[in-house]
Amino acid sequence: MDNRLKSELDIIIETKKEKKMISTSTINRLLKDMKMENEYDSVLEYLEDNGISVDADDSEGIIFLDSSKISIIPKTLSVEAIVKRLKYNEINLDTEFQRKRSLWKDEIKSQLIESFMVQLPVPPMYFDGQDSDWLVIDGLQRLCTLKEFMLDKSLVLSGLEYLPDYNGCTYDELPRIYQRRIEESQIAFYLILPGTPPEVKYSLFKRINTPGLKLEPQEIRHALYQGKATVCLQEFAESDEFQKATDYDVPSDRMQDREMVLRYFAIKYMGEEVYRTHTLDAYLCETMQYLNKQEDRFFEENRIIFFDTLECCVRIFGKLAFRRISKARPNDKKPFNSALFETWMNTVSELNQEQKEKLIANRDQLIARFVDELEKRSTFNADISSGKFRSYVRRNSAVKDMVMEVLKNTFPELVAEKQLKYSERDVAHHSA
């Protein structure tokens, strides 16, 4: 065994001497980074000889990031060059994520300008340079400030700490020495180059934005995966059908409603095997990428299926759709449950129209079966409150079993292919 590898393993053995266990993902990552993948068997043997066992299950849901594919370079540009990019719309400020343009107060904006005037450094910014127009990952408020002050000429300085005599001034009213200092100030930034995996962009965005106003995961996905996916999720989530089916209980201000729609698509098209090797975050990110690659017909067909499935669930459960139901107090409306939403929606969406109608006709039997599952099986209750892979599999299996039982074995066999199960006749029927 290579001495460098042995030294690294000895460190791991020392740190793991209490737990006496390490995950396969950690071993694979280390060997990948050291370019010694062929040493896997000898590493296992060496660890076991030193009392450290390797647990394959411990790696469930851990993301493997290939560092060799990450290409992020540090660069600097003058404020004048940055502003010129803004002037010609070569930096995309309209990424539609939660933090909108120009949220800073004028005093904060003015102090940024003052930093340039007195030659204080400012924090670096981050851009995604995989397209000709850069996408802002971090630095939106600073860029908006520069645009307002130097292009729009709408920002009037206020609350200056070092140069208070210039409060009330616009850019054109500053002495040339300060205009020049602002223009020539250098801004450091990091540029993500083409070829870098999308999950790197997502992770970087999340890590940068965590310390301040924390963005919800779907807000980050919405910012970084613009395209057909974001348009579809917005349309479906803001529809009257979705709002009524969820009884207006899924908030929209932080895009929780769009995440519910995304979870439906994830389970329907990505399936269990993809989830097995991903965290929920990564699973939904991959679904966004998948949706962005689809043709218009895909969304047309799914619009029909999605809204028809919502209607069916409401006809079965009414205002109790996607919620726990109590046997003792069956009319009490419990909180909306995201796991039940994705599970019921996916299961019902696999049915043809005849089967849906039969399920609706036997709604009392299905509800009774569902309540019985909630009352008698603590495992099911736990599974609809967990994001773990095993819970995901068990709750989907349980709901499918309920439906199959009520349909008296007329439920079609679910296939593994990620394709629409509707026939052309069904699509034509719902279109009419």
mmCIF file of all heavy atoms in Angstrom, residues 13 25 27 31 59 69 134 141 163 168 220 231 236 241 268 281 288 291 328 361 395 405 413 424:
data_model
loop_
_atom_site.group_PDB
_atom_site.id
_atom_site.type_symbol
_atom_site.label_atom_id
_atom_site.label_comp_id
_atom_site.label_asym_id
_atom_site.label_seq_id
_atom_site.Cartn_x
_atom_site.Cartn_y
_atom_site.Cartn_z
ATOM 1 N N ILE A 13 -8.252 6.014 11.261
ATOM 2 C CA ILE A 13 -8.357 4.979 12.307
ATOM 3 C C ILE A 13 -8.314 5.622 13.688
ATOM 4 O O ILE A 13 -9.065 5.252 14.595
ATOM 5 C CB ILE A 13 -7.233 3.939 12.137
ATOM 6 C CG1 ILE A 13 -7.489 3.101 10.873
ATOM 7 C CG2 ILE A 13 -7.125 3.044 13.358
ATOM 8 C CD1 ILE A 13 -6.311 2.256 10.454
ATOM 9 N N SER A 25 -18.939 5.605 1.645
ATOM 10 C CA SER A 25 -18.839 6.851 0.883
ATOM 11 C C SER A 25 -17.567 7.607 1.255
ATOM 12 O O SER A 25 -16.937 8.234 0.401
ATOM 13 C CB SER A 25 -20.063 7.737 1.131
ATOM 14 O OG SER A 25 -20.127 8.139 2.481
ATOM 15 N N ILE A 27 -14.720 6.271 2.267
ATOM 16 C CA ILE A 27 -13.600 5.557 1.645
ATOM 17 C C ILE A 27 -13.531 5.872 0.157
ATOM 18 O O ILE A 27 -12.471 6.186 -0.395
ATOM 19 C CB ILE A 27 -13.744 4.035 1.863
ATOM 20 C CG1 ILE A 27 -13.770 3.704 3.357
ATOM 21 C CG2 ILE A 27 -12.614 3.287 1.156
ATOM 22 C CD1 ILE A 27 -12.532 4.139 4.100
ATOM 23 N N LEU A 31 -10.388 7.811 -1.802
ATOM 24 C CA LEU A 31 -9.654 7.165 -2.888
ATOM 25 C C LEU A 31 -9.823 7.931 -4.198
ATOM 26 O O LEU A 31 -8.885 8.022 -4.995
ATOM 27 C CB LEU A 31 -10.127 5.718 -3.056
ATOM 28 C CG LEU A 31 -9.797 4.784 -1.883
ATOM 29 C CD1 LEU A 31 -10.412 3.411 -2.116
ATOM 30 C CD2 LEU A 31 -8.292 4.659 -1.705
ATOM 31 N N SER A 59 -23.896 5.150 4.354
ATOM 32 C CA SER A 59 -23.693 6.104 3.268
ATOM 33 C C SER A 59 -24.996 6.508 2.591
ATOM 34 O O SER A 59 -24.990 7.302 1.668
ATOM 35 C CB SER A 59 -22.757 5.513 2.212
ATOM 36 O OG SER A 59 -23.343 4.378 1.615
ATOM 37 N N LYS A 69 -14.165 17.711 -11.164
ATOM 38 C CA LYS A 69 -15.009 18.371 -12.152
ATOM 39 C C LYS A 69 -15.357 19.801 -11.770
ATOM 40 O O LYS A 69 -16.015 20.514 -12.525
ATOM 41 C CB LYS A 69 -16.301 17.570 -12.365
ATOM 42 C CG LYS A 69 -16.068 16.198 -12.987
ATOM 43 C CD LYS A 69 -17.383 15.478 -13.204
ATOM 44 C CE LYS A 69 -17.146 14.094 -13.839
ATOM 45 N NZ LYS A 69 -18.419 13.367 -14.021
ATOM 46 N N TRP A 134 -23.838 36.302 -17.169
ATOM 47 C CA TRP A 134 -23.549 35.750 -15.852
ATOM 48 C C TRP A 134 -24.801 35.754 -14.983
ATOM 49 O O TRP A 134 -25.592 36.710 -14.995
ATOM 50 C CB TRP A 134 -22.469 36.566 -15.159
ATOM 51 C CG TRP A 134 -21.122 36.474 -15.809
ATOM 52 C CD1 TRP A 134 -20.746 35.659 -16.828
ATOM 53 C CD2 TRP A 134 -19.972 37.256 -15.473
ATOM 54 N NE1 TRP A 134 -19.436 35.855 -17.152
ATOM 55 C CE2 TRP A 134 -18.928 36.842 -16.339
ATOM 56 C CE3 TRP A 134 -19.712 38.251 -14.541
ATOM 57 C CZ2 TRP A 134 -17.658 37.386 -16.284
ATOM 58 C CZ3 TRP A 134 -18.446 38.803 -14.482
ATOM 59 C CH2 TRP A 134 -17.426 38.375 -15.337
ATOM 60 N N GLN A 141 -27.538 42.486 -4.135
ATOM 61 C CA GLN A 141 -27.812 43.803 -3.564
ATOM 62 C C GLN A 141 -26.700 44.793 -3.877
ATOM 63 O O GLN A 141 -26.954 45.977 -4.126
ATOM 64 C CB GLN A 141 -28.028 43.678 -2.052
ATOM 65 C CG GLN A 141 -29.158 42.744 -1.646
ATOM 66 C CD GLN A 141 -30.477 43.088 -2.324
ATOM 67 O OE1 GLN A 141 -30.837 44.254 -2.452
ATOM 68 N NE2 GLN A 141 -31.198 42.069 -2.771
ATOM 69 N N LEU A 163 -17.549 60.354 5.256
ATOM 70 C CA LEU A 163 -17.642 61.534 4.382
ATOM 71 C C LEU A 163 -19.056 62.119 4.448
ATOM 72 O O LEU A 163 -19.758 62.220 3.435
ATOM 73 C CB LEU A 163 -17.297 61.151 2.934
ATOM 74 C CG LEU A 163 -15.896 60.574 2.701
ATOM 75 C CD1 LEU A 163 -15.785 60.010 1.297
ATOM 76 C CD2 LEU A 163 -14.832 61.640 2.937
ATOM 77 N N GLY A 168 -26.683 63.499 0.591
ATOM 78 C CA GLY A 168 -27.544 64.281 -0.288
ATOM 79 C C GLY A 168 -27.032 64.385 -1.706
ATOM 80 O O GLY A 168 -27.700 64.971 -2.571
ATOM 81 N N ILE A 220 -33.901 28.334 -3.504
ATOM 82 C CA ILE A 220 -32.582 28.165 -4.115
ATOM 83 C C ILE A 220 -32.713 27.420 -5.439
ATOM 84 O O ILE A 220 -32.113 27.794 -6.449
ATOM 85 C CB ILE A 220 -31.634 27.425 -3.158
ATOM 86 C CG1 ILE A 220 -31.467 28.214 -1.858
ATOM 87 C CG2 ILE A 220 -30.274 27.199 -3.807
ATOM 88 C CD1 ILE A 220 -30.651 27.507 -0.797
ATOM 89 N N VAL A 231 -41.337 27.396 -14.581
ATOM 90 C CA VAL A 231 -42.605 27.861 -15.159
ATOM 91 C C VAL A 231 -43.734 26.893 -14.814
ATOM 92 O O VAL A 231 -44.822 27.291 -14.388
ATOM 93 C CB VAL A 231 -42.485 28.009 -16.683
ATOM 94 C CG1 VAL A 231 -43.844 28.318 -17.311
ATOM 95 C CG2 VAL A 231 -41.489 29.109 -17.030
ATOM 96 N N PHE A 236 -48.686 25.277 -11.802
ATOM 97 C CA PHE A 236 -49.446 24.260 -11.086
ATOM 98 C C PHE A 236 -49.749 24.702 -9.653
ATOM 99 O O PHE A 236 -50.854 24.525 -9.144
ATOM 100 C CB PHE A 236 -48.679 22.935 -11.065
ATOM 101 C CG PHE A 236 -48.684 22.195 -12.383
ATOM 102 C CD1 PHE A 236 -49.015 22.840 -13.569
ATOM 103 C CD2 PHE A 236 -48.341 20.855 -12.445
ATOM 104 C CE1 PHE A 236 -49.013 22.170 -14.785
ATOM 105 C CE2 PHE A 236 -48.336 20.162 -13.649
ATOM 106 C CZ PHE A 236 -48.676 20.828 -14.822
ATOM 107 N N GLU A 241 -57.091 24.967 -8.827
ATOM 108 C CA GLU A 241 -57.277 23.542 -8.493
ATOM 109 C C GLU A 241 -56.364 23.116 -7.347
ATOM 110 O O GLU A 241 -56.802 22.427 -6.413
ATOM 111 C CB GLU A 241 -57.001 22.676 -9.720
ATOM 112 C CG GLU A 241 -58.003 22.835 -10.852
ATOM 113 C CD GLU A 241 -57.626 23.932 -11.840
ATOM 114 O OE1 GLU A 241 -56.799 24.813 -11.475
ATOM 115 O OE2 GLU A 241 -58.161 23.926 -12.961
ATOM 116 N N LYS A 268 -42.796 10.521 -9.263
ATOM 117 C CA LYS A 268 -43.406 9.942 -10.466
ATOM 118 C C LYS A 268 -42.367 9.608 -11.528
ATOM 119 O O LYS A 268 -42.450 8.569 -12.189
ATOM 120 C CB LYS A 268 -44.439 10.913 -11.042
ATOM 121 C CG LYS A 268 -45.250 10.339 -12.201
ATOM 122 C CD LYS A 268 -46.382 11.262 -12.582
ATOM 123 C CE LYS A 268 -47.269 10.634 -13.647
ATOM 124 N NZ LYS A 268 -47.966 9.432 -13.166
ATOM 125 N N ASP A 281 -32.825 16.866 -0.813
ATOM 126 C CA ASP A 281 -32.401 18.066 -1.531
ATOM 127 C C ASP A 281 -31.873 17.725 -2.926
ATOM 128 O O ASP A 281 -32.298 18.288 -3.937
ATOM 129 C CB ASP A 281 -31.295 18.774 -0.743
ATOM 130 C CG ASP A 281 -31.750 20.128 -0.224
ATOM 131 O OD1 ASP A 281 -32.924 20.479 -0.455
ATOM 132 O OD2 ASP A 281 -30.940 20.811 0.416
ATOM 133 N N MET A 288 -35.523 18.855 -10.973
ATOM 134 C CA MET A 288 -35.574 20.139 -11.672
ATOM 135 C C MET A 288 -34.815 20.053 -12.996
ATOM 136 O O MET A 288 -35.293 20.531 -14.038
ATOM 137 C CB MET A 288 -34.982 21.243 -10.797
ATOM 138 C CG MET A 288 -35.766 21.583 -9.543
ATOM 139 S SD MET A 288 -37.320 22.455 -9.859
ATOM 140 C CE MET A 288 -36.734 24.102 -10.284
ATOM 141 N N LEU A 291 -36.872 18.010 -15.498
ATOM 142 C CA LEU A 291 -38.008 18.747 -16.048
ATOM 143 C C LEU A 291 -37.558 19.773 -17.088
ATOM 144 O O LEU A 291 -38.238 19.984 -18.100
ATOM 145 C CB LEU A 291 -38.781 19.436 -14.923
ATOM 146 C CG LEU A 291 -39.510 18.520 -13.930
ATOM 147 C CD1 LEU A 291 -40.149 19.333 -12.820
ATOM 148 C CD2 LEU A 291 -40.549 17.664 -14.638
ATOM 149 N N ALA A 328 -61.511 8.803 15.914
ATOM 150 C CA ALA A 328 -62.376 9.339 16.964
ATOM 151 C C ALA A 328 -63.053 10.639 16.525
ATOM 152 O O ALA A 328 -64.207 10.902 16.874
ATOM 153 C CB ALA A 328 -61.570 9.572 18.232
ATOM 154 N N ALA A 361 -66.205 5.858 -6.137
ATOM 155 C CA ALA A 361 -67.447 5.188 -5.726
ATOM 156 C C ALA A 361 -67.270 4.422 -4.426
ATOM 157 O O ALA A 361 -68.230 4.239 -3.669
ATOM 158 C CB ALA A 361 -67.911 4.244 -6.842
ATOM 159 N N ARG A 395 -44.098 4.056 2.848
ATOM 160 C CA ARG A 395 -45.383 4.760 2.782
ATOM 161 C C ARG A 395 -45.994 4.668 1.385
ATOM 162 O O ARG A 395 -47.216 4.561 1.247
ATOM 163 C CB ARG A 395 -45.231 6.212 3.220
ATOM 164 C CG ARG A 395 -44.378 7.103 2.315
ATOM 165 C CD ARG A 395 -44.346 8.528 2.848
ATOM 166 N NE ARG A 395 -43.474 9.398 2.076
ATOM 167 C CZ ARG A 395 -42.342 9.946 2.534
ATOM 168 N NH1 ARG A 395 -41.944 9.692 3.779
ATOM 169 N NH2 ARG A 395 -41.633 10.735 1.771
ATOM 170 N N GLU A 405 -56.368 -2.953 -2.623
ATOM 171 C CA GLU A 405 -57.367 -3.705 -1.860
ATOM 172 C C GLU A 405 -58.772 -3.212 -2.162
ATOM 173 O O GLU A 405 -59.694 -4.007 -2.362
ATOM 174 C CB GLU A 405 -57.061 -3.551 -0.367
ATOM 175 C CG GLU A 405 -58.004 -4.313 0.537
ATOM 176 C CD GLU A 405 -57.637 -4.131 2.003
ATOM 177 O OE1 GLU A 405 -56.431 -4.215 2.327
ATOM 178 O OE2 GLU A 405 -58.554 -3.883 2.810
ATOM 179 N N GLU A 413 -50.672 -3.248 -12.596
ATOM 180 C CA GLU A 413 -49.303 -3.404 -12.092
ATOM 181 C C GLU A 413 -48.483 -2.166 -12.425
ATOM 182 O O GLU A 413 -48.468 -1.703 -13.550
ATOM 183 C CB GLU A 413 -48.650 -4.627 -12.729
ATOM 184 C CG GLU A 413 -47.234 -4.871 -12.213
ATOM 185 C CD GLU A 413 -46.610 -6.081 -12.868
ATOM 186 O OE1 GLU A 413 -47.309 -6.739 -13.656
ATOM 187 O OE2 GLU A 413 -45.436 -6.341 -12.614
ATOM 188 N N GLU A 424 -54.058 7.437 -24.838
ATOM 189 C CA GLU A 424 -54.480 8.591 -25.623
ATOM 190 C C GLU A 424 -55.971 8.854 -25.419
ATOM 191 O O GLU A 424 -56.420 9.995 -25.429
ATOM 192 C CB GLU A 424 -54.169 8.351 -27.102
ATOM 193 C CG GLU A 424 -52.675 8.327 -27.411
ATOM 194 C CD GLU A 424 -52.395 8.166 -28.887
ATOM 195 O OE1 GLU A 424 -53.383 8.138 -29.654
ATOM 196 O OE2 GLU A 424 -51.218 8.071 -29.265
#
